[in-house]
Amino acid sequence: MSLLMLKTGLQDTVQDAGRWGYAHLGIHAAGAADPVALRVANLLAGNPPETAALEMHFPAPHLRFEQPALFALAGADFRAVLDGQEVPVGAPALASAGSTLVFRQQARGVRVYLGVQGGFALEPWLGSNSTDLLAGVGGLHGQALRAGDRLPFRQTLSETPPGNKNFSWRARVSDLYPADSVFRFLPGPEYNLLDDASREQLETTEWRLSRQSNRMAGAVEGPALTLREHYELVSSAVLPGTVQLLPDGTLLLLLADCQTTGGYPRVAQVLSADLPGLAQNRPGDGFYFCLAQIEEAAAAARRQRMLLRRLGIGCAAALSQPYSTPLNNPHHDH
Amino acid sequence: MHILPLAEHALLVHWDNRIDPLLNDAVQALYRTLSAADLPGLRDLLPAYGSLTIVLDLDYFDRRHPAADPLLVARNWVETAIKTPVPDAMAAGRTVEIPVCYDSAFAPDLEALAARAGLTAAEVVALHTDRVYRVYLIGFLPGFAYMGAVDTRLAAPRLARPRGRVPTGSVGIAGAQTGIYPLESPGGWNLIGRTPLRLFDPQRPEPVLLQPGDQVRFRAISTEAFHQIEQTR
């Protein structure tokens, strides 16, 4: 029994925390474009934080729970509705068998994550369930999900809940994302190649992500930046959050599905703590870049990991409280 | 050589910005030494032409060494590895022979590349198969090996307009580099042939055929041999 796709969304893929350890073979990590939301969805559903979840964009799919499940949504707010009842983002919910989850409107953010208690029963590739669309591996058949696809649950609820149910508590996620649309960056290895005016423009321009942005990358729209002098670079490592300067002066923000190496100057590296917020910044919505140093970057990332651990403890405690339907242990008869 | 953070969780060891076998020897030596070591908290090693990047698992450091500065730990790994490389750090890589069919059906840019160099197509094939290439790095796509350097007469700029669809196995030249497309993808390299071997096959226990540091020699084969190998792989 499983989660059935009734209607295909824009791009819905299974993602976990990524496929690490194969960059030297050109195999990129993939994984959730907003790794914080992935973890929040899982913690709310009572899972280890890096369990594979369903990453959805807008227009989002229509989904049917073919069996009862405890699930949670985190990340973007697409005004989720389960059989006519609103489902909040950032809280667990119970779905009864046969219930239908739809998403009405892109109210906030770009990608929402659906974590289901116990996770999905899928075959990992190189140790990860993340979908690699380029190589056609991982996730379900290495592809974005389409109507008719089923994501089997690894675990079942012992009793059928009397109906769909929301919980009375929600996770406070505001501290996990930047409070405003200012995203900090470390100077990239080629930052000093930017001329003085461009370095200033990098921090004073209101930038916008292009509407053609996807899980690989997004062009950052704004003034063209320039280097002090022409510079030929040989390929070197890039990461999600790397901002490259293309030959025409455009900035390109790399995201979760970026290649392992690139040959354009790396002028900036968005802080790991701020990248999830930027990945949720809607194309066309203005934002600013702000230079930071490595100590601040490390401290911000450490604080974010600490907040997630704390959220995990809180969720585990709240989920252990009795509610109408007790859960039984995982079973593996799929 | 200098070492700088690429991110909170990534350290870049940068030698120089050139395609140079001696430089790449240093990258490979560090790569081999680090990959042979037991380094808890290490997520990824990415050797490139003149740099090596180390990606760290910061959750590991939180759990096991919360007081440590992970970037400093990684810097110490690098310094130790450079001081005490593994015995085979500078040894030649594996030698791999790649059969390539250079027939015109598989080589849409061979004639133009030959004409540009004032050579015949046969002479281009002879030059391309006449030397051993180093795999400098693997990037761009799973298993895409950047190899070089080609004979200076074969060096050619990328196509002005990249193709939307380059078939799997296509062998190309860009600048002084030669490479093989492991998957069908867009691409701007000059295509001079095609191999029936699978450079990337997710079903294999080792999905990627070539490794950084490998030595590659191309062998010209007929169309018949191409199809024969394709069927038996």
Side-chain angles (χ1 to χ4, degrees):
Chain A
M1 294 295 274
S2 44
L3 188 66
L4 169 66
M5 298 279 293
L6 297 175
K7 186 178 168 207
T8 311
L10 178 65
Q11 189 183 68
D12 315 310
T13 56
V14 175
Q15 299 293 344
D16 59 18
R19 183 172 289 111
W20 298 94
Y22 302 94
H24 63 290
L25 299 177
I27 297 169
H28 74 275
D34 175 352
V36 163
L38 169 79
R39 286 164 174 80
V40 172
N42 276 314
L43 294 173
L44 289 165
N47 292 334
E50 303 189 344
T51 306
L54 178 59
E55 179 185 273
M56 297 172 281
H57 296 78
F58 199 86
H62 293 184
L63 302 166
R64 171 156 299 153
F65 288 90
E66 294 192 305
Q67 73 183 56
L70 189 154
F71 73 100
L73 299 171
D77 183 355
F78 291 166
R79 295 283 188 258
V81 174
L82 184 68
D83 282 349
Q85 189 183 358
E86 278 191 29
V87 180
V89 182
L94 279 167
S96 56
S99 56
T100 303
L101 183 67
V102 299
F103 299 87
R104 291 271 159 81
Q105 180 199 338
Q106 189 175 7
R108 178 176 50 78
V110 177
R111 9 189 93 94
V112 65
Y113 295 80
L114 187 157
V116 62
Q117 189 163 66
F120 300 114
L122 296 167
E123 200 60 47
W125 184 67
L126 301 184
S128 163
N129 283 120
S130 283
T131 310
D132 181 336
L133 293 171
L134 203 66
V137 291
L140 186 73
H141 315 314
Q143 290 174 356
L145 301 181
R146 287 175 305 206
D149 283 341
R150 283 185 164 83
L151 289 175
F153 297 144
R154 204 174 274 285
Q155 178 178 305
T156 48
L157 294 175
S158 64
E159 296 171 38
T160 309
N164 302 325
K165 184 176 182 304
N166 287 339
F167 287 66
S168 55
W169 53 278
R170 285 176 83 159
R172 199 181 68 176
V173 297
S174 55
D175 290 347
L176 288 164
Y177 292 93
D180 44 28
S181 300
V182 180
F183 301 103
R184 293 165 292 179
F185 68 93
L186 292 169
E190 286 77 49
Y191 173 73
N192 286 324
L193 296 177
L194 287 172
D195 61 29
D196 292 347
S198 293
R199 269 185 284 171
E200 187 172 331
Q201 275 178 310
L202 188 55
E203 291 191 75
T204 53
T205 302
E206 185 177 20
W207 301 98
R208 286 167 214 285
L209 278 177
S210 141
R211 293 188 193 279
Q212 275 75 54
S213 303
N214 56 29
R215 278 181 44 85
M216 280 179 82
V220 183
E221 293 172 345
L225 302 188
T226 44
L227 300 179
R228 294 170 191 279
E229 58 197 65
H230 176 73
Y231 194 74
E232 279 289 330
L233 205 62
V234 299
S235 285
S236 183
V238 294
L239 296 168
T242 301
V243 181
Q244 295 178 313
L245 183 68
L246 304 187
D248 67 358
T250 306
L251 295 176
L252 187 72
L253 169 72
L254 303 184
L255 287 171
D257 268 346
C258 68
Q259 299 171 189
T260 51
T261 57
Y264 297 122
R266 296 157 291 186
V267 296
Q269 178 70 37
V270 177
L271 264 58
S272 297
D274 290 3
L275 187 59
L278 189 48
Q280 294 289 5
N281 197 79
R282 288 168 63 162
D285 287 357
F287 67 89
Y288 289 88
F289 281 129
C290 170
L291 182 65
Q293 295 309 317
I294 185 67
E295 294 77 16
E296 181 183 356
R302 193 177 304 122
R303 176 170 178 274
Q304 194 175 58
R305 296 195 301 276
M306 188 267 292
L307 289 172
L308 283 168
R309 280 199 302 279
R310 196 181 281 174
L311 179 68
I313 294 165
C315 287
L319 288 169
S320 70
Q321 299 298 313
Y323 56 96
S324 59
T325 311
L327 305 172
N328 79 357
N329 291 323
H331 73 130
H332 297 281
D333 62 350
H334 49 267
Chain B
M1 191 264 280
H2 62 286
I3 303 175
L4 65 159
L6 190 61
E8 309 83 355
H9 60 291
L11 196 70
L12 174 67
V13 184
H14 178 87
W15 280 266
D16 203 351
N17 194 27
R18 285 181 289 123
I19 301 179
D20 175 337
L22 293 177
L23 188 60
N24 194 246
D25 278 345
V27 177
Q28 294 295 338
L30 180 60
Y31 168 65
R32 288 180 191 182
T33 303
L34 289 175
S35 35
D38 176 30
L39 303 173
L42 174 68
R43 261 193 163 165
D44 253 320
L45 289 172
L46 207 164
Y49 283 109
S51 71
L52 181 139
T53 300
I54 299 171
V55 182
L56 301 169
D57 176 1
L58 297 188
D59 284 319
Y60 170 83
F61 286 93
D62 283 352
R63 280 195 310 273
R64 304 297 293 272
H65 306 286
D69 174 349
L71 290 173
L72 198 61
V73 171
R75 192 181 277 263
N76 289 335
W77 293 345
V78 172
E79 281 162 6
T80 306
I82 288 173
K83 261 183 253 156
T84 51
V86 288
D88 68 341
M90 299 294 273
R94 304 177 306 170
T95 300
V96 183
E97 190 185 76
I98 308 259
V100 176
C101 178
Y102 294 90
D103 285 1
S104 55
F106 294 150
D109 302 319
L110 180 58
E111 288 294 340
L113 190 133
R116 195 175 174 279
L119 300 169
T120 65
E123 286 167 333
V124 170
V125 173
L127 287 171
H128 193 247
T129 51
D130 190 40
R131 60 172 68 184
V132 175
Y133 300 97
R134 166 195 292 256
V135 176
Y136 279 93
L137 77 126
I138 300 192
F140 171 47
L141 291 170
F144 189 105
Y146 289 78
M147 294 173 273
V150 297
D151 186 286
T152 48
R153 286 166 285 178
L154 301 188
R158 285 174 170 79
L159 302 178
R161 184 175 295 179
R163 289 187 171 84
R165 200 185 70 86
V166 173
T168 303
S170 295
V171 177
I173 287 179
Q177 308 165 103
T178 185
I180 307 164
Y181 285 85
L183 295 167
E184 184 182 298
S185 86
W189 291 34
N190 302 274
L191 306 183
I192 61 163
R194 199 181 297 174
T195 178
L197 297 189
R198 297 292 298 259
L199 276 289
F200 173 72
D201 180 351
Q203 308 308 329
R204 282 195 305 240
E206 298 214 349
V208 166
L209 184 68
L210 296 174
Q211 303 258 349
D214 281 350
Q215 308 279 317
V216 171
R217 183 185 279 281
F218 296 109
R219 176 170 60 90
I221 58 167
S222 66
T223 312
E224 293 71 36
F226 178 95
H227 292 302
Q228 213 165 28
I229 298 171
E230 197 180 35
Q231 274 158 21
T232 55
R233 75 184 176 201

